[in-house]
Amino acid sequence: MIIKQDLAPVLPGKNCFGRMNKKKSLVIHQTGNAARGANAQMHATYQINNTKYKDPREASWHYTVDDKETIQSFAHDVICYHASDGSGDGNMHGIAIEGCINADGNYVKSVDNMAKLAAKVLKDEKISIMNMKQHYDFARDKKNCPAQIRAGKDGIDWAKFVQMVQGYINEKPVVAGAKVEKPKTDKQLADEVIKGIHGTGAERKAKLGNRYDAVQKLVDDMLKPKPKPVPKPKPVAPNKEVSRSYEETGTFYPNTTIIVQDAPITSATIVARYYKGEHVKYHTVHLKNGYVWLQYKRANGQQAYIPCRTYSNGKYGPLWGTIK
Ligand SMILES: [Zn+2]
């Protein structure tokens, strides 16, 4: 809330007791002046001019609130004349708010503004809401004030008013800048440009301002046709020779000692040996696992495999003997 300050002169003995207010309570008043124009400004101006009059009224208070504004006339440490209790607690240690009831104002709004101000003063001065008092509390025999609230005008009685003030005390302060939107990223702006939101040419330049260069560069990059990646030829793994087998009959005469295994793979079980001068009749050829294997049937009926040369990447090594 915005509080306008229109401070009145502090003249102890004329319009106040001085500056030793201990701020123990907040005292709520209503002006009692229902005349049109009897608003906050009128009352604040009155307080400024009061001491210039020949017979100044011994009356002063800290704030006046109407349906449109809040005006402060005295700092909180000034001891004003408002509670009708002489040098009692109301005057000496109270901060006073006058609520306007002018006929040309919105009464409910005026009371609502007073509740907001009351909440702020209670919070700022760390005064308990239990110590928000009616003027009446300090002058029961002579002052029915705040009269309209005490009468429950427009459905707002004292209990309701206290509730309104408590509501404003409970409100979390709005963090400055909390609702400020984050600036859009270049990528977000670029997406919008591509959707056509920022127009073209000079219009786009104007709308994007100092973001234009970065965003336009991004847009250009995003719209650039992307070359299709050239598929890389799969490297041929040297050990992953495509193996193949075919039927062929023949006789192999090794010229060196060769081990025979029960499968065409070097890790298989050794089942026999052939020596130089011996021969073996085979029926099938396997090109796999680094060798050319000749498959034959052993005397015991089992199938066996004898390598006769290396075979790798389609290349044959020298034959370890002769084939007929
Ligand atoms: Zn009063």
Side-chain angles (χ1 to χ4, degrees):
M1 70 182 304
I2 294 165
I3 296 172
K4 182 170 136 187
Q5 282 192 324
D6 245 347
L7 297 181
V10 177
L11 301 169
K14 284 192 169 178
N15 64 357
C16 67
F17 281 110
R19 287 186 177 270
M20 293 162 294
N21 193 325
K22 289 182 183 166
K23 302 174 243 182
K24 290 180 183 171
S25 61
L26 178 64
V27 186
I28 302 298
H29 304 262
Q30 283 173 308
T31 62
N33 188 347
R36 297 177 68 83
N39 57 18
Q41 188 61 65
M42 192 216 84
H43 284 87
T45 303
Y46 170 81
Q47 295 215 82
I48 290 170
N49 294 328
N50 181 36
T51 52
K52 298 173 190 165
Y53 299 144
K54 196 177 175 189
D55 294 308
R57 265 185 74 209
E58 287 192 345
S60 55
W61 56 95
H62 299 84
Y63 295 95
T64 313
V65 182
D66 65 18
D67 59 332
K68 295 181 184 66
E69 62 182 349
T70 296
I71 303 177
Q72 183 174 17
S73 297
F74 291 94
H76 292 179
D77 63 342
V78 175
I79 300 171
C80 291
Y81 298 151
H82 58 91
S84 318
D85 66 344
S87 54
D89 271 350
N91 274 340
M92 297 305 288
H93 307 305
I95 295 169
I97 299 176
E98 288 277 359
C100 293
I101 56 165
N102 50 309
D104 54 339
N106 178 329
Y107 173 77
V108 173
K109 185 80 180 102
S110 175
V111 175
D112 187 53
N113 285 346
M114 183 156 62
K116 280 182 193 164
L117 174 64
K120 176 173 166 47
V121 173
L122 291 174
K123 267 174 133 169
D124 288 353
E125 296 295 354
K126 298 185 173 60
I127 298 170
S128 160
I129 196 166
M130 300 298 292
N131 292 323
M132 181 173 76
K133 303 289 189 184
Q134 303 175 24
H135 181 186
Y136 168 82
D137 293 328
F138 298 101
R140 294 187 179 234
D141 52 342
K142 44 191 171 184
K143 287 288 178 181
N144 177 29
C145 177
Q148 287 69 32
I149 289 176
R150 286 174 54 75
K153 178 175 160 63
D154 290 351
I156 304 170
D157 61 10
W158 181 252
K160 171 72 180 166
F161 180 73
V162 171
Q163 205 178 58
M164 289 163 68
V165 173
Q166 185 65 57
Y168 287 122
I169 289 173
N170 295 346
E171 267 185 6
K172 285 184 181 165
V174 177
V175 177
K179 284 185 176 172
V180 174
E181 283 183 28
K182 279 186 184 172
K184 287 176 180 170
T185 64
D186 288 351
K187 176 71 169 67
Q188 284 172 315
L189 287 171
D191 286 338
E192 290 178 2
V193 165
I194 289 168
K195 284 179 192 164
I197 290 172
H198 299 288
T200 58
E203 183 194 358
R204 183 183 296 175
K205 219 165 189 171
K207 282 189 173 178
L208 294 176
N210 62 1
R211 306 288 300 276
Y212 176 82
D213 287 343
V215 172
Q216 187 59 47
K217 184 178 184 307
L218 199 53
V219 168
D220 292 344
D221 283 350
M222 288 164 73
L223 294 182
K224 201 182 285 173
K226 291 180 179 62
K228 283 188 179 173
V230 177
K232 285 181 188 170
K234 282 181 188 170
V236 177
N239 292 334
K240 290 213 168 172
E241 187 77 42
V242 177
S243 60
R244 62 191 173 96
S245 303
Y246 53 93
E247 284 184 22
E248 179 188 286
T249 55
T251 306
F252 174 49
Y253 297 84
N255 59 12
T256 182
T257 305
I258 302 174
I259 57 174
V260 176
Q261 296 176 286
D262 63 354
I265 181 169
T266 52
S267 58
T269 304
I270 297 170
V271 293
R273 275 184 176 75
Y274 269 88
Y275 299 96
K276 185 178 178 181
E278 295 181 328
H279 66 274
V280 54
K281 283 189 176 175
Y282 64 92
H283 58 79
T284 305
V285 178
H286 302 276
L287 282 62
K288 55 168 56 176
N289 301 320
Y291 296 94
V292 176
W293 303 82
L294 304 174
Q295 184 181 352
Y296 69 96
K297 190 180 176 181
R298 295 181 67 207
N300 64 6
Q302 288 177 346
Q303 296 294 319
Y305 304 83
I306 180 170
C308 65
R309 68 203 311 182
T310 59
Y311 176 75
S312 178
N313 292 333
K315 285 183 182 168
Y316 296 93
L319 191 62
W320 303 330
T322 52
I323 286 175
K324 287 178 182 170

